[in-house]
Amino acid sequence: MDGKILVITSGKGGVGKTTATSSIGAALAMQGNRVAVIDMDIGLRNLDVIMGLENRIVFNIVDVVNNRCKISQAAIKDRRIDNLFLIPASQSDNKDVLTTKGVKRVAKMLKKEFDYIIMDSPAGIERGFENSVVSADEAIVICTPDVSAVRDADRVIGLLYSKSITPKLLINRIEPARVAKGEMLSHEDVLDVLSIELAGLVPLDEYVLTASNMGLPLVLQKESKAGLAFTRIARRLNGETDLPIEVPTHKTGMWNTISKKFGFTK
């Protein structure tokens, strides 16, 4: 049985797409799947740094597509998580170096070797996006709860539908306290606008920055709420469709609870 290609994309940059790629990939591998995460952001390359594998790069996805090496030569095995592999992007090429025909050919080979292939698409709707989605079986659109991110996500969702790919939505960096105060869009607000199936909700988490800077998988950080959320998302993608989506909540202190109940004010 062939593997599944999942593209992780967004309308705008800076919404946490690469963290989502590495975290979901790591969680799927920890669930016993053979997983390849592929950085499709040609010319920039960030996924290797977040995964702590930047010093082990020899070949990249451009080399594979252009027949300069085999998949096994470009795929870097993660030392901490069995069955997790990274194929990095090239920093020295531009985004036009890959063709959709070449990517489709390599995608077929990847599906023979891995249970999940996760494409980290560059933000936006240009050539890099086209190459990332050309062979996708599923797509997750990453969006933060702000108006500009929602607007750009809406554009990408429309493009995915036009390619007969049904996307799911992952809302990232939710701050429950700000949602409660009306300072941030709620996940219901975002879903009202975008009207697609929800893959999961991920809270803002200080461990994300620490894990990224240290090159540690977020899902191995037991104290990380975001890591736990990504693990649950991976479990749903891996077949646990009845696993409920947890809504990040703002835990108020005892005094606030009593104050609200009895009408006290500080």
Side-chain angles (χ1 to χ4, degrees):
M1 185 176 174
D2 284 353
K4 183 180 292 185
I5 294 182
L6 170 68
V7 63
I8 295 186
T9 186
S10 66
K12 62 176 288 191
V15 295
K17 184 168 42 57
T18 300
T19 296
T21 300
S22 61
S23 299
I24 292 170
L28 284 168
M30 289 167 68
Q31 292 163 30
N33 300 287
R34 186 173 166 85
V35 179
V37 292
I38 303 179
D39 192 342
M40 296 296 288
D41 202 354
I42 309 302
L44 291 177
R45 201 171 82 190
N46 288 309
L47 189 54
D48 56 300
V49 175
I50 283 182
M51 295 178 69
L53 299 173
E54 67 272 20
N55 294 326
R56 295 172 56 197
I57 294 173
V58 178
F59 296 106
N60 57 62
I61 187 62
V62 174
D63 294 321
V64 177
V65 173
N66 291 336
N67 292 311
R68 292 195 288 260
C69 73
K70 297 177 181 178
I71 290 171
S72 58
Q73 292 175 289
I76 305 167
K77 188 178 187 300
D78 191 280
R79 289 197 182 104
R80 296 148 301 198
I81 300 174
D82 288 339
N83 298 324
L84 178 62
F85 297 82
L86 162 72
I87 300 180
S90 166
Q91 275 188 310
S92 58
D93 292 290
N94 63 45
K95 295 182 186 297
D96 297 326
V97 73
L98 295 181
T99 64
T100 52
K101 183 178 179 181
V103 174
K104 282 180 81 170
R105 176 180 54 80
V106 170
K108 285 184 180 179
M109 295 189 290
L110 287 164
K111 291 177 81 165
K112 301 290 185 187
E113 295 193 29
F114 297 94
D115 299 310
Y116 287 95
I117 303 97
I118 305 180
M119 301 280 195
D120 183 8
S121 169
I125 54 175
E126 299 174 357
R127 174 66 70 86
F129 171 82
E130 294 290 336
N131 287 333
S132 300
V133 304
V134 67
S135 296
D137 299 301
E138 295 181 9
I140 291 181
V141 176
I142 309 290
C143 180
T144 49
D146 60 88
V147 173
S148 62
V150 173
R151 181 190 61 194
D152 290 347
D154 192 39
R155 172 76 170 127
V156 168
I157 288 165
L159 286 172
L160 290 167
Y161 276 127
S162 73
K163 298 176 185 299
S164 300
I165 302 170
T166 302
K168 295 179 181 178
L169 180 68
L170 189 158
I171 305 175
N172 196 24
R173 297 182 186 153
I174 297 169
E175 297 181 62
R178 293 186 65 192
V179 173
K181 293 177 182 176
E183 297 174 355
M184 175 179 279
L185 296 176
S186 68
H187 71 276
E188 292 98 340
D189 295 331
V190 177
L191 284 170
D192 281 347
V193 176
L194 299 179
S195 300
I196 64 171
E197 184 180 345
L198 187 62
L201 304 171
V202 180
L204 184 71
D205 186 347
E206 62 187 17
Y207 283 94
V208 172
L209 182 60
T210 304
S212 296
N213 287 340
M214 296 180 68
L216 296 171
L218 186 63
V219 294
L220 292 180
Q221 311 294 310
K222 293 183 179 180
E223 302 297 318
S224 171
K225 292 180 180 178
L228 181 60
F230 281 123
T231 297
R232 291 174 66 85
I233 289 165
R235 287 172 60 190
R236 282 191 291 274
L237 290 171
N238 200 34
E240 292 185 55
T241 53
D242 58 345
L243 187 67
I245 292 174
E246 287 193 349
V247 179
T249 57
H250 174 50
K251 293 182 179 178
T252 57
M254 183 183 295
W255 172 256
N256 288 340
T257 302
I258 293 171
S259 298
K260 286 180 181 177
K261 186 171 182 179
F262 295 102
F264 296 150
T265 57
K266 284 189 177 182

